[in-house]
PDB file of all heavy atoms in Angstrom:
ATOM      1  N   LYS A 913      44.626 178.176  -7.036  1.00  0.00           N
ATOM      2  CA  LYS A 913      44.737 179.318  -6.120  1.00  0.00           C
ATOM      3  C   LYS A 913      44.444 178.812  -4.715  1.00  0.00           C
ATOM      4  O   LYS A 913      43.464 178.115  -4.480  1.00  0.00           O
ATOM      5  CB  LYS A 913      43.734 180.412  -6.496  1.00  0.00           C
ATOM      6  CG  LYS A 913      43.766 181.604  -5.567  1.00  0.00           C
ATOM      7  CD  LYS A 913      42.707 182.636  -5.971  1.00  0.00           C
ATOM      8  CE  LYS A 913      42.796 183.848  -5.088  1.00  0.00           C
ATOM      9  NZ  LYS A 913      41.973 183.766  -3.898  1.00  0.00           N
ATOM     10  N   ILE A 914      45.302 179.162  -3.773  1.00  0.00           N
ATOM     11  CA  ILE A 914      45.116 178.729  -2.392  1.00  0.00           C
ATOM     12  C   ILE A 914      43.944 179.489  -1.783  1.00  0.00           C
ATOM     13  O   ILE A 914      43.909 180.717  -1.799  1.00  0.00           O
ATOM     14  CB  ILE A 914      46.398 178.948  -1.563  1.00  0.00           C
ATOM     15  CG1 ILE A 914      47.527 178.064  -2.108  1.00  0.00           C
ATOM     16  CG2 ILE A 914      46.144 178.653  -0.084  1.00  0.00           C
ATOM     17  CD1 ILE A 914      48.874 178.302  -1.460  1.00  0.00           C
ATOM     18  N   ILE A 915      42.969 178.721  -1.254  1.00  0.00           N
ATOM     19  CA  ILE A 915      41.795 179.319  -0.620  1.00  0.00           C
ATOM     20  C   ILE A 915      41.758 179.043   0.884  1.00  0.00           C
ATOM     21  O   ILE A 915      40.932 179.606   1.594  1.00  0.00           O
ATOM     22  CB  ILE A 915      40.480 178.866  -1.294  1.00  0.00           C
ATOM     23  CG1 ILE A 915      40.303 177.354  -1.234  1.00  0.00           C
ATOM     24  CG2 ILE A 915      40.409 179.379  -2.725  1.00  0.00           C
ATOM     25  CD1 ILE A 915      38.970 176.839  -1.755  1.00  0.00           C
ATOM     26  N   ASP A 916      42.653 178.173   1.367  1.00  0.00           N
ATOM     27  CA  ASP A 916      42.763 177.914   2.797  1.00  0.00           C
ATOM     28  C   ASP A 916      44.177 177.409   3.061  1.00  0.00           C
ATOM     29  O   ASP A 916      44.714 176.615   2.277  1.00  0.00           O
ATOM     30  CB  ASP A 916      41.744 176.865   3.247  1.00  0.00           C
ATOM     31  CG  ASP A 916      41.722 176.708   4.759  1.00  0.00           C
ATOM     32  OD1 ASP A 916      41.103 177.567   5.424  1.00  0.00           O
ATOM     33  OD2 ASP A 916      42.324 175.743   5.274  1.00  0.00           O
ATOM     34  N   LEU A 917      44.778 177.862   4.163  1.00  0.00           N
ATOM     35  CA  LEU A 917      46.154 177.495   4.476  1.00  0.00           C
ATOM     36  C   LEU A 917      46.303 177.307   5.976  1.00  0.00           C
ATOM     37  O   LEU A 917      45.781 178.100   6.758  1.00  0.00           O
ATOM     38  CB  LEU A 917      47.097 178.600   3.995  1.00  0.00           C
ATOM     39  CG  LEU A 917      48.583 178.319   4.033  1.00  0.00           C
ATOM     40  CD1 LEU A 917      48.939 177.215   3.044  1.00  0.00           C
ATOM     41  CD2 LEU A 917      49.359 179.583   3.684  1.00  0.00           C
ATOM     42  N   PHE A 918      46.993 176.235   6.353  1.00  0.00           N
ATOM     43  CA  PHE A 918      47.253 175.941   7.764  1.00  0.00           C
ATOM     44  C   PHE A 918      48.684 175.438   7.850  1.00  0.00           C
ATOM     45  O   PHE A 918      49.041 174.440   7.224  1.00  0.00           O
ATOM     46  CB  PHE A 918      46.260 174.886   8.256  1.00  0.00           C
ATOM     47  CG  PHE A 918      46.414 174.505   9.697  1.00  0.00           C
ATOM     48  CD1 PHE A 918      46.334 175.452  10.705  1.00  0.00           C
ATOM     49  CD2 PHE A 918      46.611 173.176  10.043  1.00  0.00           C
ATOM     50  CE1 PHE A 918      46.450 175.089  12.042  1.00  0.00           C
ATOM     51  CE2 PHE A 918      46.726 172.803  11.379  1.00  0.00           C
ATOM     52  CZ  PHE A 918      46.651 173.757  12.379  1.00  0.00           C
ATOM     53  N   VAL A 919      49.529 176.125   8.623  1.00  0.00           N
ATOM     54  CA  VAL A 919      50.954 175.821   8.686  1.00  0.00           C
ATOM     55  C   VAL A 919      51.406 175.729  10.143  1.00  0.00           C
ATOM     56  O   VAL A 919      50.932 176.483  10.982  1.00  0.00           O
ATOM     57  CB  VAL A 919      51.784 176.922   7.987  1.00  0.00           C
ATOM     58  CG1 VAL A 919      53.268 176.612   8.024  1.00  0.00           C
ATOM     59  CG2 VAL A 919      51.322 177.127   6.562  1.00  0.00           C
ATOM     60  N   GLY A 920      52.358 174.816  10.405  1.00  0.00           N
ATOM     61  CA  GLY A 920      53.009 174.851  11.692  1.00  0.00           C
ATOM     62  C   GLY A 920      53.262 173.543  12.398  1.00  0.00           C
ATOM     63  O   GLY A 920      54.107 173.477  13.282  1.00  0.00           O
ATOM     64  N   TYR A 921      52.564 172.472  12.044  1.00  0.00           N
ATOM     65  CA  TYR A 921      52.825 171.205  12.722  1.00  0.00           C
ATOM     66  C   TYR A 921      54.195 170.674  12.326  1.00  0.00           C
ATOM     67  O   TYR A 921      54.634 170.857  11.184  1.00  0.00           O
ATOM     68  CB  TYR A 921      51.749 170.172  12.378  1.00  0.00           C
ATOM     69  CG  TYR A 921      50.609 170.158  13.368  1.00  0.00           C
ATOM     70  CD1 TYR A 921      49.619 171.121  13.326  1.00  0.00           C
ATOM     71  CD2 TYR A 921      50.545 169.189  14.361  1.00  0.00           C
ATOM     72  CE1 TYR A 921      48.577 171.117  14.239  1.00  0.00           C
ATOM     73  CE2 TYR A 921      49.516 169.178  15.287  1.00  0.00           C
ATOM     74  CZ  TYR A 921      48.541 170.143  15.221  1.00  0.00           C
ATOM     75  OH  TYR A 921      47.527 170.146  16.137  1.00  0.00           O
ATOM     76  N   PRO A 922      54.878 169.966  13.237  1.00  0.00           N
ATOM     77  CA  PRO A 922      56.181 169.380  12.908  1.00  0.00           C
ATOM     78  C   PRO A 922      56.080 168.382  11.759  1.00  0.00           C
ATOM     79  O   PRO A 922      55.033 167.759  11.548  1.00  0.00           O
ATOM     80  CB  PRO A 922      56.587 168.659  14.201  1.00  0.00           C
ATOM     81  CG  PRO A 922      55.790 169.299  15.277  1.00  0.00           C
ATOM     82  CD  PRO A 922      54.506 169.736  14.632  1.00  0.00           C
ATOM     83  N   GLY A 923      57.168 168.202  11.048  1.00  0.00           N
ATOM     84  CA  GLY A 923      57.199 167.342   9.870  1.00  0.00           C
ATOM     85  C   GLY A 923      56.847 165.890  10.096  1.00  0.00           C
ATOM     86  O   GLY A 923      56.425 165.204   9.176  1.00  0.00           O
ATOM     87  N   SER A 924      57.010 165.382  11.314  1.00  0.00           N
ATOM     88  CA  SER A 924      56.707 163.968  11.568  1.00  0.00           C
ATOM     89  C   SER A 924      55.208 163.701  11.692  1.00  0.00           C
ATOM     90  O   SER A 924      54.791 162.555  11.714  1.00  0.00           O
ATOM     91  CB  SER A 924      57.401 163.507  12.859  1.00  0.00           C
ATOM     92  OG  SER A 924      56.861 164.184  13.986  1.00  0.00           O
ATOM     93  N   VAL A 925      54.401 164.750  11.749  1.00  0.00           N
ATOM     94  CA  VAL A 925      52.962 164.594  11.939  1.00  0.00           C
ATOM     95  C   VAL A 925      52.295 164.217  10.618  1.00  0.00           C
ATOM     96  O   VAL A 925      52.567 164.814   9.575  1.00  0.00           O
ATOM     97  CB  VAL A 925      52.347 165.888  12.518  1.00  0.00           C
ATOM     98  CG1 VAL A 925      50.840 165.777  12.644  1.00  0.00           C
ATOM     99  CG2 VAL A 925      52.974 166.208  13.865  1.00  0.00           C
ATOM    100  N   HIS A 926      51.415 163.232  10.646  1.00  0.00           N
ATOM    101  CA  HIS A 926      50.720 162.750   9.450  1.00  0.00           C
ATOM    102  C   HIS A 926      49.671 163.763   8.987  1.00  0.00           C
ATOM    103  O   HIS A 926      49.083 164.479   9.796  1.00  0.00           O
ATOM    104  CB  HIS A 926      50.063 161.401   9.763  1.00  0.00           C
ATOM    105  CG  HIS A 926      49.591 160.673   8.551  1.00  0.00           C
ATOM    106  ND1 HIS A 926      48.346 160.868   8.009  1.00  0.00           N
ATOM    107  CD2 HIS A 926      50.213 159.770   7.760  1.00  0.00           C
ATOM    108  CE1 HIS A 926      48.209 160.110   6.939  1.00  0.00           C
ATOM    109  NE2 HIS A 926      49.332 159.419   6.773  1.00  0.00           N
ATOM    110  N   ASP A 927      49.414 163.781   7.660  1.00  0.00           N
ATOM    111  CA  ASP A 927      48.423 164.691   7.078  1.00  0.00           C
ATOM    112  C   ASP A 927      47.064 164.597   7.762  1.00  0.00           C
ATOM    113  O   ASP A 927      46.401 165.605   7.979  1.00  0.00           O
ATOM    114  CB  ASP A 927      48.221 164.392   5.586  1.00  0.00           C
ATOM    115  CG  ASP A 927      49.366 164.879   4.718  1.00  0.00           C
ATOM    116  OD1 ASP A 927      50.226 165.615   5.219  1.00  0.00           O
ATOM    117  OD2 ASP A 927      49.378 164.514   3.527  1.00  0.00           O
ATOM    118  N   SER A 928      46.655 163.385   8.104  1.00  0.00           N
ATOM    119  CA  SER A 928      45.326 163.216   8.708  1.00  0.00           C
ATOM    120  C   SER A 928      45.246 163.886  10.076  1.00  0.00           C
ATOM    121  O   SER A 928      44.208 164.439  10.438  1.00  0.00           O
ATOM    122  CB  SER A 928      44.951 161.737   8.816  1.00  0.00           C
ATOM    123  OG  SER A 928      45.842 161.051   9.654  1.00  0.00           O
ATOM    124  N   ARG A 929      46.329 163.871  10.828  1.00  0.00           N
ATOM    125  CA  ARG A 929      46.341 164.540  12.137  1.00  0.00           C
ATOM    126  C   ARG A 929      46.352 166.052  11.972  1.00  0.00           C
ATOM    127  O   ARG A 929      45.668 166.773  12.715  1.00  0.00           O
ATOM    128  CB  ARG A 929      47.534 164.083  12.967  1.00  0.00           C
ATOM    129  CG  ARG A 929      47.540 164.693  14.343  1.00  0.00           C
ATOM    130  CD  ARG A 929      48.600 164.073  15.224  1.00  0.00           C
ATOM    131  NE  ARG A 929      48.767 164.866  16.420  1.00  0.00           N
ATOM    132  CZ  ARG A 929      49.883 164.920  17.116  1.00  0.00           C
ATOM    133  NH1 ARG A 929      50.936 164.207  16.754  1.00  0.00           N
ATOM    134  NH2 ARG A 929      49.965 165.663  18.188  1.00  0.00           N
ATOM    135  N   VAL A 930      47.118 166.544  11.019  1.00  0.00           N
ATOM    136  CA  VAL A 930      47.130 167.981  10.748  1.00  0.00           C
ATOM    137  C   VAL A 930      45.717 168.431  10.400  1.00  0.00           C
ATOM    138  O   VAL A 930      45.209 169.414  10.948  1.00  0.00           O
ATOM    139  CB  VAL A 930      48.120 168.334   9.613  1.00  0.00           C
ATOM    140  CG1 VAL A 930      48.005 169.805   9.230  1.00  0.00           C
ATOM    141  CG2 VAL A 930      49.550 167.997  10.016  1.00  0.00           C
ATOM    142  N   PHE A 931      45.063 167.688   9.520  1.00  0.00           N
ATOM    143  CA  PHE A 931      43.694 168.030   9.122  1.00  0.00           C
ATOM    144  C   PHE A 931      42.747 167.988  10.316  1.00  0.00           C
ATOM    145  O   PHE A 931      41.952 168.903  10.526  1.00  0.00           O
ATOM    146  CB  PHE A 931      43.204 167.076   8.033  1.00  0.00           C
ATOM    147  CG  PHE A 931      41.765 167.285   7.654  1.00  0.00           C
ATOM    148  CD1 PHE A 931      41.350 168.448   7.019  1.00  0.00           C
ATOM    149  CD2 PHE A 931      40.813 166.326   7.949  1.00  0.00           C
ATOM    150  CE1 PHE A 931      40.025 168.644   6.675  1.00  0.00           C
ATOM    151  CE2 PHE A 931      39.488 166.508   7.607  1.00  0.00           C
ATOM    152  CZ  PHE A 931      39.090 167.678   6.972  1.00  0.00           C
ATOM    153  N   ARG A 932      42.845 166.934  11.099  1.00  0.00           N
ATOM    154  CA  ARG A 932      41.950 166.763  12.249  1.00  0.00           C
ATOM    155  C   ARG A 932      42.038 167.939  13.221  1.00  0.00           C
ATOM    156  O   ARG A 932      41.063 168.296  13.874  1.00  0.00           O
ATOM    157  CB  ARG A 932      42.299 165.447  12.959  1.00  0.00           C
ATOM    158  CG  ARG A 932      41.334 165.028  14.015  1.00  0.00           C
ATOM    159  CD  ARG A 932      41.610 163.619  14.566  1.00  0.00           C
ATOM    160  NE  ARG A 932      42.976 163.398  15.013  1.00  0.00           N
ATOM    161  CZ  ARG A 932      43.830 162.538  14.447  1.00  0.00           C
ATOM    162  NH1 ARG A 932      43.478 161.820  13.407  1.00  0.00           N
ATOM    163  NH2 ARG A 932      45.042 162.388  14.921  1.00  0.00           N
ATOM    164  N   ASN A 933      43.211 168.562  13.312  1.00  0.00           N
ATOM    165  CA  ASN A 933      43.422 169.670  14.245  1.00  0.00           C
ATOM    166  C   ASN A 933      43.400 171.041  13.571  1.00  0.00           C
ATOM    167  O   ASN A 933      43.674 172.050  14.221  1.00  0.00           O
ATOM    168  CB  ASN A 933      44.748 169.472  14.982  1.00  0.00           C
ATOM    169  CG  ASN A 933      44.691 168.275  15.900  1.00  0.00           C
ATOM    170  OD1 ASN A 933      43.932 168.263  16.854  1.00  0.00           O
ATOM    171  ND2 ASN A 933      45.454 167.246  15.585  1.00  0.00           N
ATOM    172  N   SER A 934      43.082 171.080  12.304  1.00  0.00           N
ATOM    173  CA  SER A 934      43.097 172.351  11.572  1.00  0.00           C
ATOM    174  C   SER A 934      41.801 173.140  11.778  1.00  0.00           C
ATOM    175  O   SER A 934      40.747 172.558  12.020  1.00  0.00           O
ATOM    176  CB  SER A 934      43.295 172.097  10.078  1.00  0.00           C
ATOM    177  OG  SER A 934      42.145 171.504   9.515  1.00  0.00           O
ATOM    178  N   PRO A 935      41.878 174.451  11.636  1.00  0.00           N
ATOM    179  CA  PRO A 935      40.658 175.270  11.681  1.00  0.00           C
ATOM    180  C   PRO A 935      39.655 174.858  10.603  1.00  0.00           C
ATOM    181  O   PRO A 935      38.454 174.946  10.810  1.00  0.00           O
ATOM    182  CB  PRO A 935      41.160 176.689  11.449  1.00  0.00           C
ATOM    183  CG  PRO A 935      42.587 176.666  11.863  1.00  0.00           C
ATOM    184  CD  PRO A 935      43.080 175.276  11.533  1.00  0.00           C
ATOM    185  N   LEU A 936      40.142 174.389   9.455  1.00  0.00           N
ATOM    186  CA  LEU A 936      39.247 173.955   8.384  1.00  0.00           C
ATOM    187  C   LEU A 936      38.379 172.798   8.852  1.00  0.00           C
ATOM    188  O   LEU A 936      37.171 172.790   8.626  1.00  0.00           O
ATOM    189  CB  LEU A 936      40.038 173.545   7.145  1.00  0.00           C
ATOM    190  CG  LEU A 936      39.214 172.963   5.999  1.00  0.00           C
ATOM    191  CD1 LEU A 936      38.250 174.014   5.444  1.00  0.00           C
ATOM    192  CD2 LEU A 936      40.118 172.440   4.909  1.00  0.00           C
ATOM    193  N   LYS A 937      38.965 171.810   9.496  1.00  0.00           N
ATOM    194  CA  LYS A 937      38.202 170.658   9.988  1.00  0.00           C
ATOM    195  C   LYS A 937      37.143 171.114  10.982  1.00  0.00           C
ATOM    196  O   LYS A 937      36.001 170.676  10.944  1.00  0.00           O
ATOM    197  CB  LYS A 937      39.146 169.637  10.624  1.00  0.00           C
ATOM    198  CG  LYS A 937      38.456 168.537  11.409  1.00  0.00           C
ATOM    199  CD  LYS A 937      37.615 167.648  10.521  1.00  0.00           C
ATOM    200  CE  LYS A 937      37.132 166.457  11.328  1.00  0.00           C
ATOM    201  NZ  LYS A 937      35.758 166.150  11.154  1.00  0.00           N
ATOM    202  N   LEU A 938      37.518 172.017  11.856  1.00  0.00           N
ATOM    203  CA  LEU A 938      36.573 172.505  12.862  1.00  0.00           C
ATOM    204  C   LEU A 938      35.452 173.305  12.198  1.00  0.00           C
ATOM    205  O   LEU A 938      34.290 173.150  12.536  1.00  0.00           O
ATOM    206  CB  LEU A 938      37.305 173.354  13.901  1.00  0.00           C
ATOM    207  CG  LEU A 938      38.414 172.617  14.670  1.00  0.00           C
ATOM    208  CD1 LEU A 938      39.160 173.582  15.576  1.00  0.00           C
ATOM    209  CD2 LEU A 938      37.855 171.459  15.467  1.00  0.00           C
ATOM    210  N   SER A 939      35.806 174.152  11.229  1.00  0.00           N
ATOM    211  CA  SER A 939      34.773 174.959  10.562  1.00  0.00           C
ATOM    212  C   SER A 939      33.959 174.115   9.592  1.00  0.00           C
ATOM    213  O   SER A 939      32.816 174.439   9.300  1.00  0.00           O
ATOM    214  CB  SER A 939      35.395 176.140   9.828  1.00  0.00           C
ATOM    215  OG  SER A 939      36.217 175.694   8.775  1.00  0.00           O
ATOM    216  N   GLN A 940      34.539 173.017   9.121  1.00  0.00           N
ATOM    217  CA  GLN A 940      33.814 172.109   8.229  1.00  0.00           C
ATOM    218  C   GLN A 940      32.579 171.586   8.948  1.00  0.00           C
ATOM    219  O   GLN A 940      31.525 171.424   8.354  1.00  0.00           O
ATOM    220  CB  GLN A 940      34.739 170.966   7.823  1.00  0.00           C
ATOM    221  CG  GLN A 940      34.094 169.926   6.955  1.00  0.00           C
ATOM    222  CD  GLN A 940      35.017 168.748   6.728  1.00  0.00           C
ATOM    223  OE1 GLN A 940      36.181 168.784   7.082  1.00  0.00           O
ATOM    224  NE2 GLN A 940      34.499 167.709   6.154  1.00  0.00           N
ATOM    225  N   GLN A 941      32.727 171.360  10.229  1.00  0.00           N
ATOM    226  CA  GLN A 941      31.594 170.898  11.016  1.00  0.00           C
ATOM    227  C   GLN A 941      30.511 171.974  11.090  1.00  0.00           C
ATOM    228  O   GLN A 941      29.362 171.692  11.323  1.00  0.00           O
ATOM    229  CB  GLN A 941      32.043 170.532  12.441  1.00  0.00           C
ATOM    230  CG  GLN A 941      33.109 169.458  12.504  1.00  0.00           C
ATOM    231  CD  GLN A 941      32.689 168.150  11.858  1.00  0.00           C
ATOM    232  OE1 GLN A 941      31.518 167.836  11.772  1.00  0.00           O
ATOM    233  NE2 GLN A 941      33.656 167.402  11.373  1.00  0.00           N
ATOM    234  N   LYS A 942      30.911 173.221  10.879  1.00  0.00           N
ATOM    235  CA  LYS A 942      29.957 174.334  10.934  1.00  0.00           C
ATOM    236  C   LYS A 942      29.553 174.758   9.524  1.00  0.00           C
ATOM    237  O   LYS A 942      29.256 175.907   9.265  1.00  0.00           O
ATOM    238  CB  LYS A 942      30.583 175.503  11.685  1.00  0.00           C
ATOM    239  CG  LYS A 942      30.878 175.169  13.128  1.00  0.00           C
ATOM    240  CD  LYS A 942      31.596 176.302  13.800  1.00  0.00           C
ATOM    241  CE  LYS A 942      31.993 175.886  15.205  1.00  0.00           C
ATOM    242  NZ  LYS A 942      33.167 176.558  15.686  1.00  0.00           N
ATOM    243  N   GLN A 943      29.631 173.836   8.589  1.00  0.00           N
ATOM    244  CA  GLN A 943      29.139 173.989   7.221  1.00  0.00           C
ATOM    245  C   GLN A 943      29.974 174.921   6.347  1.00  0.00           C
ATOM    246  O   GLN A 943      29.453 175.539   5.440  1.00  0.00           O
ATOM    247  CB  GLN A 943      27.684 174.439   7.212  1.00  0.00           C
ATOM    248  CG  GLN A 943      26.760 173.458   7.874  1.00  0.00           C
ATOM    249  CD  GLN A 943      25.306 173.813   7.674  1.00  0.00           C
ATOM    250  OE1 GLN A 943      24.972 174.857   7.149  1.00  0.00           O
ATOM    251  NE2 GLN A 943      24.433 172.933   8.090  1.00  0.00           N
ATOM    252  N   LYS A 944      31.283 174.986   6.565  1.00  0.00           N
ATOM    253  CA  LYS A 944      32.122 175.773   5.667  1.00  0.00           C
ATOM    254  C   LYS A 944      32.117 175.143   4.273  1.00  0.00           C
ATOM    255  O   LYS A 944      32.103 175.844   3.290  1.00  0.00           O
ATOM    256  CB  LYS A 944      33.552 175.861   6.204  1.00  0.00           C
ATOM    257  CG  LYS A 944      34.409 176.844   5.446  1.00  0.00           C
ATOM    258  CD  LYS A 944      35.709 177.098   6.161  1.00  0.00           C
ATOM    259  CE  LYS A 944      36.430 178.278   5.569  1.00  0.00           C
ATOM    260  NZ  LYS A 944      37.621 178.631   6.312  1.00  0.00           N
ATOM    261  N   CYS A 945      32.096 173.828   4.217  1.00  0.00           N
ATOM    262  CA  CYS A 945      32.102 173.131   2.924  1.00  0.00           C
ATOM    263  C   CYS A 945      30.698 172.819   2.418  1.00  0.00           C
ATOM    264  O   CYS A 945      30.486 172.715   1.219  1.00  0.00           O
ATOM    265  CB  CYS A 945      32.886 171.830   3.029  1.00  0.00           C
ATOM    266  SG  CYS A 945      34.644 172.060   3.212  1.00  0.00           S
ATOM    267  N   ALA A 946      29.761 172.598   3.303  1.00  0.00           N
ATOM    268  CA  ALA A 946      28.414 172.147   2.904  1.00  0.00           C
ATOM    269  C   ALA A 946      27.799 173.087   1.891  1.00  0.00           C
ATOM    270  O   ALA A 946      27.931 174.288   2.019  1.00  0.00           O
ATOM    271  CB  ALA A 946      27.522 172.016   4.127  1.00  0.00           C
ATOM    272  N   PRO A 947      27.168 172.583   0.865  1.00  0.00           N
ATOM    273  CA  PRO A 947      26.940 171.182   0.513  1.00  0.00           C
ATOM    274  C   PRO A 947      28.013 170.639  -0.432  1.00  0.00           C
ATOM    275  O   PRO A 947      27.767 169.696  -1.171  1.00  0.00           O
ATOM    276  CB  PRO A 947      25.592 171.254  -0.206  1.00  0.00           C
ATOM    277  CG  PRO A 947      25.660 172.548  -0.951  1.00  0.00           C
ATOM    278  CD  PRO A 947      26.431 173.480  -0.029  1.00  0.00           C
ATOM    279  N   TYR A 948      29.187 171.227  -0.415  1.00  0.00           N
ATOM    280  CA  TYR A 948      30.262 170.868  -1.340  1.00  0.00           C
ATOM    281  C   TYR A 948      31.244 169.889  -0.708  1.00  0.00           C
ATOM    282  O   TYR A 948      31.151 169.554   0.464  1.00  0.00           O
ATOM    283  CB  TYR A 948      31.004 172.132  -1.785  1.00  0.00           C
ATOM    284  CG  TYR A 948      30.107 173.149  -2.437  1.00  0.00           C
ATOM    285  CD1 TYR A 948      29.670 174.260  -1.740  1.00  0.00           C
ATOM    286  CD2 TYR A 948      29.689 172.992  -3.750  1.00  0.00           C
ATOM    287  CE1 TYR A 948      28.845 175.199  -2.336  1.00  0.00           C
ATOM    288  CE2 TYR A 948      28.863 173.920  -4.363  1.00  0.00           C
ATOM    289  CZ  TYR A 948      28.446 175.022  -3.648  1.00  0.00           C
ATOM    290  OH  TYR A 948      27.624 175.944  -4.243  1.00  0.00           O
ATOM    291  N   TYR A 949      32.230 169.470  -1.532  1.00  0.00           N
ATOM    292  CA  TYR A 949      33.225 168.494  -1.118  1.00  0.00           C
ATOM    293  C   TYR A 949      34.622 168.970  -1.484  1.00  0.00           C
ATOM    294  O   TYR A 949      34.794 169.786  -2.388  1.00  0.00           O
ATOM    295  CB  TYR A 949      32.991 167.143  -1.815  1.00  0.00           C
ATOM    296  CG  TYR A 949      31.602 166.614  -1.611  1.00  0.00           C
ATOM    297  CD1 TYR A 949      30.592 166.929  -2.510  1.00  0.00           C
ATOM    298  CD2 TYR A 949      31.299 165.817  -0.519  1.00  0.00           C
ATOM    299  CE1 TYR A 949      29.299 166.459  -2.316  1.00  0.00           C
ATOM    300  CE2 TYR A 949      30.015 165.339  -0.320  1.00  0.00           C
ATOM    301  CZ  TYR A 949      29.023 165.669  -1.222  1.00  0.00           C
ATOM    302  OH  TYR A 949      27.746 165.211  -1.032  1.00  0.00           O
ATOM    303  N   LEU A 950      35.611 168.398  -0.785  1.00  0.00           N
ATOM    304  CA  LEU A 950      37.018 168.594  -1.118  1.00  0.00           C
ATOM    305  C   LEU A 950      37.575 167.267  -1.618  1.00  0.00           C
ATOM    306  O   LEU A 950      37.181 166.205  -1.138  1.00  0.00           O
ATOM    307  CB  LEU A 950      37.814 169.022   0.123  1.00  0.00           C
ATOM    308  CG  LEU A 950      37.424 170.336   0.774  1.00  0.00           C
ATOM    309  CD1 LEU A 950      38.224 170.543   2.060  1.00  0.00           C
ATOM    310  CD2 LEU A 950      37.631 171.494  -0.179  1.00  0.00           C
ATOM    311  N   LEU A 951      38.484 167.330  -2.570  1.00  0.00           N
ATOM    312  CA  LEU A 951      39.189 166.139  -3.037  1.00  0.00           C
ATOM    313  C   LEU A 951      40.480 166.005  -2.241  1.00  0.00           C
ATOM    314  O   LEU A 951      41.174 167.003  -2.016  1.00  0.00           O
ATOM    315  CB  LEU A 951      39.522 166.255  -4.526  1.00  0.00           C
ATOM    316  CG  LEU A 951      38.345 166.333  -5.491  1.00  0.00           C
ATOM    317  CD1 LEU A 951      38.858 166.486  -6.922  1.00  0.00           C
ATOM    318  CD2 LEU A 951      37.468 165.102  -5.365  1.00  0.00           C
ATOM    319  N   ALA A 952      40.804 164.784  -1.828  1.00  0.00           N
ATOM    320  CA  ALA A 952      42.007 164.548  -1.040  1.00  0.00           C
ATOM    321  C   ALA A 952      42.665 163.241  -1.464  1.00  0.00           C
ATOM    322  O   ALA A 952      42.035 162.395  -2.102  1.00  0.00           O
ATOM    323  CB  ALA A 952      41.650 164.479   0.446  1.00  0.00           C
ATOM    324  N   ASP A 953      43.929 163.082  -1.095  1.00  0.00           N
ATOM    325  CA  ASP A 953      44.596 161.807  -1.354  1.00  0.00           C
ATOM    326  C   ASP A 953      44.336 160.858  -0.188  1.00  0.00           C
ATOM    327  O   ASP A 953      43.616 161.188   0.756  1.00  0.00           O
ATOM    328  CB  ASP A 953      46.089 162.011  -1.631  1.00  0.00           C
ATOM    329  CG  ASP A 953      46.870 162.564  -0.442  1.00  0.00           C
ATOM    330  OD1 ASP A 953      46.372 162.514   0.712  1.00  0.00           O
ATOM    331  OD2 ASP A 953      47.994 163.050  -0.661  1.00  0.00           O
ATOM    332  N   SER A 954      44.954 159.693  -0.242  1.00  0.00           N
ATOM    333  CA  SER A 954      44.685 158.663   0.767  1.00  0.00           C
ATOM    334  C   SER A 954      45.278 158.989   2.132  1.00  0.00           C
ATOM    335  O   SER A 954      45.019 158.280   3.102  1.00  0.00           O
ATOM    336  CB  SER A 954      45.191 157.306   0.284  1.00  0.00           C
ATOM    337  OG  SER A 954      46.588 157.382   0.050  1.00  0.00           O
ATOM    338  N   GLY A 955      46.041 160.072   2.234  1.00  0.00           N
ATOM    339  CA  GLY A 955      46.561 160.505   3.526  1.00  0.00           C
ATOM    340  C   GLY A 955      45.497 161.153   4.386  1.00  0.00           C
ATOM    341  O   GLY A 955      45.721 161.407   5.566  1.00  0.00           O
TER     342      GLY A 955
END
């Protein structure tokens, strides 16, 4: 089940850049994930 969604960057943009600029990354710094973790691929 999707619990967070971020859409809109052009297709040439790498996953890591999309993440770096996503609201999730910004809120992660404010403990949205703490004390938990997300699983990700090598991108």
